[in-house]
Amino acid sequence: MKELKQVTEELLVLVEKMMIEYKSRRESGEKGDFYTEVKPFADEVKEKNDRWKDLSLNWIKETKPKHIHFPQILNTFDNIEMLSVHCFFPESSYNRFISHYQSVSYVLGTELDELNEK
């Protein structure tokens, strides 16, 4: 449970970085270089995201939290992967990016709230 809380907090920080990166790219119009920026960042996120998904699914099985369910974890996992790449491309749909960002932030925040209650 302690590890899940830590990984969730770290993912929230990375998701905030994605939003900052995306806004910066939108302003400058500059795409990220795939090998020096996009891939290293996406790999870092993937490592944490994979761990978060495994820990979260086990946590749900064990504790059956009130406000978090399997489909939310799976969707959030996919959205985080997508955001980690799209944040480097200014032509990514603004509304779609913001929508996925808000969804991810909500699920991660709700999960942290549930973890802090235990």
Side-chain angles (χ1 to χ4, degrees):
M1 198 111 103
K2 187 177 172 186
E3 185 184 1
L4 175 58
K5 188 175 173 182
Q6 181 183 349
V7 172
T8 304
E9 288 169 348
E10 289 169 0
L11 262 183
L12 265 170
V13 169
L14 287 171
V15 168
E16 285 306 312
K17 278 186 182 176
M18 292 174 209
M19 177 54 83
I20 291 165
E21 187 68 41
Y22 181 67
K23 285 182 175 179
S24 164
R25 298 288 173 173
R26 294 270 307 179
E27 285 176 19
S28 72
E30 240 179 79
K31 292 181 184 180
D33 181 73
F34 184 77
Y35 292 104
T36 61
E37 296 176 296
V38 181
K39 186 168 178 6
F41 183 73
D43 288 347
E44 176 190 355
V45 170
K46 179 160 180 37
E47 189 179 313
K48 287 216 187 317
N49 200 20
D50 288 344
R51 188 76 190 120
W52 174 78
K53 182 175 103 173
D54 293 343
L55 290 168
S56 293
L57 293 175
N58 287 334
W59 172 66
I60 289 173
K61 274 184 216 165
E62 290 171 14
T63 64
K64 306 209 180 343
K66 209 186 308 184
H67 303 291
I68 300 284
H69 308 287
F70 283 121
Q72 285 173 295
I73 298 301
L74 300 175
N75 288 336
T76 300
F77 172 81
D78 290 340
N79 288 340
I80 289 171
E81 297 255 303
M82 189 266 311
L83 289 173
S84 72
V85 173
H86 284 248
C87 70
F88 289 95
F89 298 97
E91 68 273 8
S92 297
S93 166
Y94 180 80
N95 289 336
R96 189 164 172 225
F97 190 91
I98 297 301
S99 173
H100 285 122
Y101 164 79
Q102 289 172 338
S103 173
V104 163
S105 297
Y106 174 79
V107 172
L108 293 175
T110 302
E111 183 169 302
L112 265 183
D113 291 346
E114 295 255 350
L115 287 166
N116 287 330
E117 287 176 12
K118 305 287 181 218

